[in-house]
């Protein structure tokens, strides 16, 4: 099914979804100055918009054009998203250069990645090989999340962490290998990602 039809079935027009993406970027990026600038100059948005088209082609069995489209998007944005990956609403990639998202990755709603993040695999076996990030997960710059693991909703992963095990909802994961701890009530995500103790 073409992307516009899929969005219409989900109750939102293609243009409506793009406006939602722009609003999400404006909310999350303090440097954002306006909708037009975001739409024209944010490679993370361009990558996700291209992915929606490529994912629709992939689901229809048009694997070669889907992969071709993903490669063109990679050349233009520096962000590699396999067309088989499943991505929810209001997904935002800040800066974006060097982000890699594997074929069987699953990303929920309201997820945010910084540059250099990898959602990768640890095996060449067929089937589920890449991580699942539930709703509201935030991943710091350079973090690597590897294998068919699940990161619970509203979790935060510190910069350069290497995550290879499941984490429950509301976790903070830092270090190499990453260790999880519960979030402190009221703990702000920006603090987790910016305080040196957490930015391993």
């Amino acid at each position: 099914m073409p992307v516009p039809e899929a969005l219409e079935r989900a109750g939102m027009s293609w243009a409506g979804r793009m406006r939602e993406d722009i609003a999400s970027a404006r909310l999350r990026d303090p440097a954002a100055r306006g909708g037009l600038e975001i739409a024209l100059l944010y490679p993370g948005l361009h990558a996700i918009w291209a992915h929606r088209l490529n994912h629709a082609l992939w689901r229809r069995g048009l694997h070669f054009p889907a992969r071709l489209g993903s490669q063109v998007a990679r050349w233009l944005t520096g962000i590699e998203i396999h067309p088989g990956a499943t991505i929810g609403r209001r997904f935002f990639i800040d800066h974006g250069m060097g982000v890699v998202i594997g074929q069987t990755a699953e990303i929920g709603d309201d997820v945010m990645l910084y540059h250099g993040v990898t959602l990768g695999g640890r095996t060449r076996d067929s089937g589920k090989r890449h991580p699942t990030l539930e709703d509201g997960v935030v991943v710091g710059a350079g973090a690597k999340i590897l294998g068919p693991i699940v990161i619970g909703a509203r979790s935060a992963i510190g910069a350069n962490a290497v995550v290879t095990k499941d984490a429950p909802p509301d976790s903070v994961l830092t270090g190499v290998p990453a260790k999880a701890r519960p979030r402190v009530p009221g703990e702000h995500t920006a603090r987790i990602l910016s305080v040196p103790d957490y930015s391993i």
Side-chain angles (χ1 to χ4, degrees):
M1 161 184 321
V3 172
E5 288 180 31
L7 293 177
E8 292 288 357
R9 282 190 160 205
M12 180 171 282
S13 69
W14 175 252
R17 180 65 64 87
M18 292 177 76
R19 285 193 297 270
E20 181 180 65
D21 293 331
I22 291 168
S24 178
R26 195 167 189 172
L27 179 68
R28 293 171 174 170
D29 184 359
R33 294 187 298 181
L36 182 62
E37 179 180 289
I38 292 168
L40 295 178
L41 302 179
Y42 276 49
L45 284 187
H46 302 157
I48 189 61
W49 291 342
H51 173 72
R52 288 193 187 129
L53 175 59
N54 297 328
H55 185 65
L57 294 172
W58 184 267
R59 288 173 57 96
R60 295 180 70 165
L62 301 172
H63 293 169
F64 181 81
R67 287 301 304 272
L68 178 62
S70 71
Q71 288 300 301
V72 171
R74 176 188 176 197
W75 294 333
L76 294 173
T77 66
I79 297 166
E80 181 172 343
I81 307 175
H82 192 286
T86 303
I87 298 177
R89 292 172 61 180
R90 297 176 299 279
F91 176 55
F92 181 57
I93 304 173
D94 196 8
H95 298 294
M97 182 62 72
V99 167
V100 177
I101 299 174
Q103 176 183 356
T104 61
E106 298 175 67
I107 298 174
D109 296 336
D110 302 303
V111 170
M112 181 175 177
L113 308 182
Y114 286 87
H115 58 279
V117 169
T118 299
L119 304 184
R122 290 184 293 162
T123 176
R124 295 186 180 185
D125 296 342
S126 60
K128 176 73 168 159
R129 305 184 307 282
H130 302 98
T132 296
L133 306 185
E134 294 184 343
D135 296 348
V137 170
V138 179
V139 184
K144 313 302 177 196
I145 308 168
L146 306 174
I149 61 175
V150 177
I151 306 301
R154 300 170 304 282
S155 292
I157 298 173
N160 293 321
V162 178
V163 185
T164 58
K165 295 181 179 178
D166 293 345
D170 299 300
S171 293
V172 173
L173 298 103
T174 58
V176 180
K179 295 180 180 177
R181 68 161 174 84
R183 292 184 74 152
V184 176
E187 186 175 30
H188 194 274
T189 298
R191 177 174 170 76
I192 294 168
L193 298 177
S194 63
V195 173
D197 289 349
Y198 299 146
S199 300
I200 305 300

